[in-house]
Structures are given as C-alpha cells and as structure tokens.
Amino acid sequence: MNNDTTVASNFIRNIIDDDLAANKNDGRVVTRFPPEPNGYLHIGHAKSICLNFGIAAQYNGKCNLRFDDTNPVKENEEFVNAIKDDVTWLGFEWDGLKHASDYFDELYNFAVELIKKDKAYVDSSTADEVREMRGTLKEPGKPSPYRDRSIEENLELFARMKAGEFDDGAHILRAKIDMASGNINLRDPTLYRIRKVHHVRTGNDWSIYPMYDYTHCLSDAMEGITHSLCTLEFEDHRPLYDWVLDVLKTPAHPQQIEFARLMLEYTILSKRRLIQLVEENHVDGWDDPRMPTITGMRRRGFTATSLKDFCERIGITKNDAWIEMAVLETCIREDLNEHSPRRMAVLEPIKVVITDLADDYTETLSFANHPQKEDFGRRDVVFSKEIMIDRDDFSEDPPPKYQRLVPGGEVRLRGSYVIKCCDVIKNDAGDIIELRCTHDAATLGKKPEGRKVKGVIHWVSASAGVQATVRVYDRLFKEPHPGSAESLEAELNPDALIVHKTAYVEASLREAQPEERFQFERLGYFVADRYDHSADKPVFNRTVSLRDTWAR
C-alpha cells in the first residue's frame, strides 16, 4: 500500500473515525475499488480510486482491486489490463486482486440458500412482462404469476438453468421481497439471468450470471470489506444491499456509504456517451488526449500528481455539484510549472532572414532550463542568420497595444538580440513567406541605447531547429454541461484539436523521451506523445495553455 497520501477531513473519514472509536470491525478498515471491465476508466473513477486507496492508506488498512466481471457480453481482457495500468500509474498498489467471477460457486450456493428460505423464486415471465409488473414510482408493482412456485420447483428450475437447459431469457431468478415497496429496487429484483456466453475467465462453465446488486454486497462480505464506498446513484440500492446480507446472515456486514460523483464542466463521464464518442469516430479511440479517460489524460500530459491533487481539492461531499474545468487546469499548471524544463517552439513558422549576418553565421547561446531552478541546468541554443518565428508574432496592420514585430518596428528575440523588420516578402497570392530584418549586435543581454523595445518573442533557428508535429488540444465540448442536446456532435468543440504539421522546435527536443513534459515558452505545457513521438519524427501534445483563455 502506498502511504504517500494527503489527508483531508470529510464525512466518510468522520464515519470511520467514529467506527474505530467504537472498535467496530475490530478496528479494521478494508475498502475496495470495484470497476466493471467493460471500458476504460475516466477521471470520475480517479476520484473513487483516490478515495478508496487513500482511506486504506490513512488508516493502515487494505484496499482490494476487484473486477465486477458478471456481464461477459461487454467485458474483455483489454479493459482489465487497462484498468490495472491506470491504478498503478496513479501510484496505488492493491492488497488483493479479486474478480467477482472468483465467487461464482459461492454466489450460486447463496442463491440456493435464498430459495430454500423462500426468499427467491424462478420467474418464467418475459422481460417485457417483468418490466410491466414492476410498476412505477406512483403505482405499486404486481406479483408475478410464478411468485408462489414451491421451493422444490424453484430449486429444480434453478439447477436446470445452471446446467444450460434453457435459452437466454427463458427464466430469471428473482428475490422475493415486496412488490408494493416505495423503493422499486426492492420489488423482487432480478438476481440471476441466463447468458450462454463465453466468459474471459471461466470459459463456458456457466450458463447463468449474477446481477450486480446481488454480487456486489456478497463479494464485499466475503472479502471482509468494512466500508463499501460508492457514488450517490447507489443510495437507493442500499436497502437491497442490506437485505441480501441480512437474509443470508453473512458473518460480515459491510457498511455502504455513498458520496457525490464527479461532475466536471465541458466533460462527459457517461460510459454510454464515451462509447458513442469512440464508436462514431468523434475521437481517435479511448486514449485520445481529448477524452476524459485516465489513459487519454495521461497521453495529453496530465500527471498522476495533478489528478490526485485535483481529487483532493474538490473533496468528498454528499451532494452532486459541477466542478469548474479551471480547477483541474490549475492543478496541472501548478505541477508542470514546478517540474517542466523550458523550451522554444514555433507552431506556424514564418522565416526571418537577418540580412546583416553572414550566410554561414551561427552563434551558440546559453539558456536556463528553468527560470527559478538552477539545478535544472542550462542548454545550448543555436542562433543563425535564418530563424523561424510564429506567424502570430508579426502583423502588417497591428491592433492596438500590439507589442510584437511590425514593418519598421523592433522586437527582442527571447534570450538573444533586438531585430528590426525592414522588408516583407510575399508570394504571388499575397501571402507573407519571409521577413527581412537587421539585428542590433549590442543588445545581447543588454537594453538597446536610446529607445525602449517592449515586445519579446520566441524563435527557433531554421538550420539547427527540428521540424515537428504539434497537436494543440482544448476542451472537447463547447458547452459547460454537455449531453443535453439531441445530437452529441452539435455540442463538440470544433477547435478541440488543431494540428501543426510544420512546427519547428529546439534541437534539444530531438532527445525528448515519450511522456517527457516541457513548457514551450509563451505557448503552454506540452508532452512528447506516448506512442507517436520519435527522435526522427517528434510529436508533441499540448496539455494546457499557460493561463485560462477559454472565456476570451
């Protein structure tokens, strides 16, 4: 267990403190993180991971990673491996690696026990009939015509279901609770359904699979979980959780505690919607840096530290509330500002020829890798006759207060000389293809005499720089609360990805390793792509801008 966890008080920790003071559970604290392996984890799961593993670490307890693999139709090993990678990358270690399928025999035996107690029965109604009999929030449900089957008949039918004698949908096993309950979850919920599907771990051993609500509480009990932490949508399921454990008189009875799920602005965390984004090719897979998946955010350059800091800052509450995207972006900016070396990059290059330098002129300048951290060292940057600057740093018709390069104007090159634009070269279409400038040789590290030059721009040597692909990512949605429109596509931000295929970067970035992070001066924080980056073909992804410019 990784014990390097920041501790902040919340209502869950207060409950655990009271339990420990009363010596409940013999002073033990055991939690679990129980994802279903039917997709990739997202930042909402990161909140649950940090909570469950953090609670265990704070109280010197244990936390299991348990896969809720009871629906073989949607689950596969790819998702299992991705989930393990995400938890590990976040910096947590599980005490036990569990699967709900580990308990299939025990779960079946518990179901038999419920039948023998006349607390479960085999229902042969169709799915539509079951749905109609369940009633509504205003009307009670109606009992199934099969509700009063004898215990003997139910045991026989359930055994034959297990043996694979029936087709999918022919029968289900339902709990016998209360069809008039105000809580629909207690109106004889389904415990088992027939699914003749290959399971990734148990193969074709089973023709019936347990439902989540039935499996989860018993898995918690068998693992000795003391505090079963889940999001608020399971609050109405807690009476069923307790009913199963009470009727079966399990030795352990975990306490289910609900907390508010994460609701992050400009983001969708619905698994159904995320699948839609992937399957409709709005993004390039689950690890697309625009996705809120942990693997996508990692590829975009978010750090595990920043995500854990974010989860700690937003806290654990009982009420759902939207979290501003600025909170997440502040966390990553603060982390990257502290730990990222500085480099220069030009995204949309325009050539600048310094006419008063010799054609073969080069000069090696020394740059600090971090302005506040001497231990980051220094690097060499080549200055030459031809350099590249960003197209946005020149204007023939500048707006008010523009402090970059203009015809006849001066600007300082970052860490280098003051240059003056003398001529603008255009092609036949009228597009600017080159700027011709002179430089003031007396301004290296010094202010020019007799005049003020306010603007400072970055640059890259045309001969010594490296051509690269730079992907500028932004928020995937243009609406703060997406998901309400009929068309998901209508809410997508068309500028969520802008690719600069002819960017120039410093020569030192040729040595960048995949997932190595940098601040590109004046542009933002960038990371060498986890998969596509190489020394021959550098690819960088923007993690976040230097400051929040979304409102503007």
Side-chain angles (χ1 to χ4, degrees):
M1 175 66 63
N2 186 335
N3 291 305
D4 185 16
T5 305
T6 303
V7 176
S9 179
N10 58 56
F11 76 95
I12 293 178
R13 289 188 171 105
N14 293 339
I15 290 173
I16 294 175
D17 287 339
D18 291 341
D19 289 345
L20 292 176
N23 199 34
K24 186 177 178 180
N25 304 307
D26 298 321
R28 296 179 304 109
V29 174
V30 184
T31 60
R32 82 290 168 271
F33 173 61
E36 182 180 359
N38 65 349
Y40 284 73
L41 301 183
H42 54 62
I43 190 171
H45 294 111
K47 177 180 178 180
S48 181
I49 292 169
C50 291
L51 174 61
N52 279 286
F53 283 93
I55 287 286
Q58 179 187 351
Y59 294 98
N60 295 315
K62 295 181 178 181
C63 182
N64 291 341
L65 172 61
R66 182 174 73 235
F67 292 101
D68 173 34
D69 56 347
T70 59
N71 187 358
V73 174
K74 298 182 179 180
E75 299 155 4
N76 63 54
E77 199 66 23
E78 174 192 351
F79 297 139
V80 169
N81 293 331
I83 289 169
K84 290 193 286 188
D85 286 346
D86 287 344
V87 173
T88 300
W89 177 74
L90 282 171
F92 298 108
E93 299 175 11
W94 49 84
D95 291 280
L97 182 61
K98 309 291 184 179
H99 299 77
S101 55
D102 295 337
Y103 311 122
F104 278 175
D105 286 324
E106 290 88 343
L107 293 169
Y108 176 81
N109 291 333
F110 278 129
V112 170
E113 184 177 342
L114 287 175
I115 294 173
K116 290 180 177 179
K117 291 176 176 284
D118 199 23
K119 294 297 184 179
Y121 62 97
V122 174
D123 193 339
S124 304
S125 304
T126 67
D128 289 340
E129 289 170 340
V130 171
R131 191 177 302 111
E132 186 174 345
M133 285 185 288
R134 186 149 290 167
T136 66
L137 292 174
K138 296 181 179 180
E139 298 178 353
K142 299 176 182 178
S144 166
Y146 304 99
R147 197 174 195 264
D148 294 325
R149 271 177 166 154
S150 68
I151 292 174
E152 291 74 18
E153 185 180 2
N154 283 318
L155 289 172
E156 178 189 359
L157 285 171
F158 191 49
R160 292 174 64 190
M161 288 169 61
K162 178 178 182 291
E165 294 185 22
F166 303 111
D167 294 333
D168 288 12
H171 306 286
I172 56 174
L173 182 71
R174 298 177 67 179
K176 187 185 289 187
I177 307 179
D178 181 5
M179 290 302 295
S181 173
N183 186 337
I184 291 181
N185 295 293
L186 295 180
R187 295 180 187 176
D188 291 10
T190 302
L191 305 181
Y192 269 88
R193 75 287 207 201
I194 300 172
R195 285 281 174 87
K196 292 185 176 179
V197 180
H198 179 86
H199 190 284
V200 68
R201 296 189 72 246
T202 61
N204 297 316
D205 292 348
W206 291 87
S207 296
I208 55 173
Y209 291 95
M211 302 298 288
Y212 175 83
D213 280 342
Y214 171 72
T215 303
H216 186 69
C217 57
L218 290 170
S219 299
D220 281 350
M222 287 185 280
E223 291 177 17
I225 303 301
T226 58
H227 300 85
S228 183
L229 311 179
C230 56
T231 46
L232 280 175
E233 60 261 38
F234 293 99
E235 185 174 22
D236 289 341
H237 297 246
R238 192 193 329 145
L240 176 56
Y241 184 103
D242 291 332
W243 181 89
V244 172
L245 299 181
D246 288 340
V247 171
L248 290 170
K249 294 181 170 56
T250 55
H253 191 128
Q255 180 181 2
Q256 178 175 304
I257 307 172
E258 305 85 16
F259 61 93
R261 60 181 177 168
L262 175 61
M263 297 168 59
L264 181 64
E265 288 187 345
Y266 301 99
T267 306
I268 275 181
L269 298 182
S270 160
K271 188 170 290 185
R272 178 179 63 85
R273 290 292 204 175
L274 294 178
I275 291 172
Q276 182 181 352
L277 287 171
V278 173
E279 292 184 346
E280 294 181 359
N281 297 315
H282 297 301
V283 295
D284 298 324
W286 289 95
D287 62 356
D288 187 304
R290 290 167 291 183
M291 288 282 276
T293 55
I294 294 175
T295 186
M297 298 181 75
R298 175 181 177 178
R299 189 175 180 186
R300 183 161 167 174
F302 280 83
T303 63
T305 298
S306 67
L307 294 188
K308 289 190 284 189
D309 181 27
F310 170 71
C311 292
E312 191 67 30
R313 289 191 191 195
I314 62 176
I316 302 298
T317 65
K318 295 182 180 181
N319 300 310
D320 288 333
W322 285 97
I323 305 298
E324 293 182 359
M325 177 63 77
V327 179
L328 174 63
E329 292 178 344
T330 295
C331 291
I332 186 60
R333 283 193 187 100
E334 290 181 359
D335 187 26
L336 294 181
N337 178 62
E338 186 76 10
H339 299 104
S340 299
R342 275 45 171 172
R343 295 292 186 267
M344 291 193 293
V346 173
L347 304 190
E348 287 294 329
I350 182 171
K351 184 189 290 186
V352 173
V353 178
I354 302 175
T355 58
D356 55 350
L357 292 176
D359 290 346
D360 61 350
Y361 180 87
T362 62
E363 182 179 359
T364 301
L365 305 176
S366 179
F367 278 61
N369 286 326
H370 196 295
Q372 288 87 39
K373 295 181 179 293
E374 292 184 5
D375 58 327
F376 272 47
R378 303 185 70 82
R379 70 190 187 281
D380 291 337
V381 177
V382 173
F383 177 73
S384 57
K385 179 184 179 71
E386 294 185 356
I387 62 173
M388 298 292 187
I389 68 170
D390 256 313
R391 194 165 293 273
D392 285 345
D393 284 334
F394 175 78
S395 176
E396 284 189 289
D397 185 20
K401 299 182 180 180
Y402 188 82
Q403 294 184 355
R404 286 164 278 177
L405 194 59
V406 298
E410 290 184 308
V411 72
R412 177 176 289 281
L413 300 176
R414 167 80 173 90
S416 181
Y417 300 94
V418 171
I419 62 171
K420 181 177 181 178
C421 180
C422 302
D423 199 6
V424 179
I425 309 301
K426 300 181 180 182
N427 60 18
D428 293 340
D431 300 321
I432 299 173
I433 58 173
E434 184 179 300
L435 303 176
R436 293 182 179 173
C437 301
T438 58
H439 85 299
D440 186 340
T443 56
L444 182 62
K446 299 178 182 178
K447 294 181 180 180
E449 293 186 5
R451 63 197 190 278
K452 288 185 178 181
V453 177
K454 296 182 178 180
V456 179
I457 64 173
H458 60 279
W459 55 275
V460 174
S461 167
S463 57
V466 178
Q467 193 163 336
T469 296
V470 177
R471 303 163 177 160
V472 175
Y473 290 99
D474 211 325
R475 302 173 185 185
L476 183 56
F477 293 93
K478 58 188 177 183
E479 302 296 331
H481 303 156
S484 57
E486 290 185 10
S487 170
L488 190 64
E489 188 171 2
E491 298 179 317
L492 291 172
N493 174 18
D495 298 321
L497 170 60
I498 298 174
V499 181
H500 301 274
K501 296 183 178 180
T502 59
Y504 270 79
V505 299
E506 281 187 34
S508 61
L509 286 171
R510 193 189 300 275
E511 302 172 4
Q513 299 300 306
E515 293 195 274
E516 191 172 359
R517 301 169 180 87
F518 304 90
Q519 184 195 102
F520 287 178
E521 298 198 28
R522 299 176 66 227
L523 299 178
Y525 295 98
F526 291 76
V527 63
D529 189 83
R530 186 179 178 186
Y531 304 114
D532 299 336
H533 175 84
S534 67
D536 295 333
K537 295 182 179 180
V539 178
F540 295 93
N541 302 328
R542 189 179 76 173
T543 307
V544 67
S545 59
L546 291 178
R547 58 188 62 85
D548 186 2
T549 59
W550 183 258
R552 285 179 278 171

